Amino acid sequence: MRKEVQTHLKFVDLLNEWDPFHLKTDGYETEIADVIQAVYELDDLVALAERIQEIYEFSFEQKIPMESCLLIAKELLLVKAEDSCTI
């Protein structure tokens, strides 16, 4: 499997496990796609966390606490860094 696909799947797994609204289903497909796009566009932790908060708030009309968004943003950026550091 190509490295990009593996990284993409890691992002999907992390975001599904995060489950900020406790849906316990795969009810975040659109948000996950938007967040993954943001991960590729942003390298700044705070900027990514703010974008994640905006994406989910737009869809669910509820604001996720910034602390939670920062934690998931950090995990996503770590996966992104691992992918870019491997040869």
Side-chain angles (χ1 to χ4, degrees):
M1 188 177 324
R2 290 188 12 223
K3 186 66 177 167
E4 299 86 21
V5 174
Q6 290 176 345
T7 300
H8 185 87
L9 292 174
K10 287 179 186 176
F11 291 149
V12 171
D13 288 344
L14 279 172
L15 290 164
N16 273 322
E17 290 172 17
W18 183 42
D19 190 14
F21 295 112
H22 310 290
L23 299 179
K24 306 219 185 307
T25 64
D26 294 328
Y28 300 110
E29 293 86 4
T30 303
E31 296 75 26
I32 288 173
D34 291 345
V35 169
I36 291 171
Q37 181 65 39
V39 171
Y40 287 114
E41 292 173 359
L42 302 168
D43 291 318
D44 180 74
L45 176 65
V46 174
L48 179 58
E50 289 171 347
R51 178 82 60 87
I52 291 169
Q53 189 180 53
E54 291 169 3
I55 289 167
Y56 282 85
E57 183 178 5
F58 181 81
S59 295
F60 293 93
E61 297 179 353
Q62 292 180 4
K63 190 173 269 193
I64 300 170
M66 182 53 67
E67 180 178 298
S68 181
C69 295
L70 285 165
L71 290 173
I72 192 65
K74 182 177 180 180
E75 289 184 52
L76 293 166
L77 289 174
L78 286 172
V79 170
K80 179 181 173 180
E82 287 173 9
D83 178 52
S84 65
C85 291
T86 57
I87 299 175

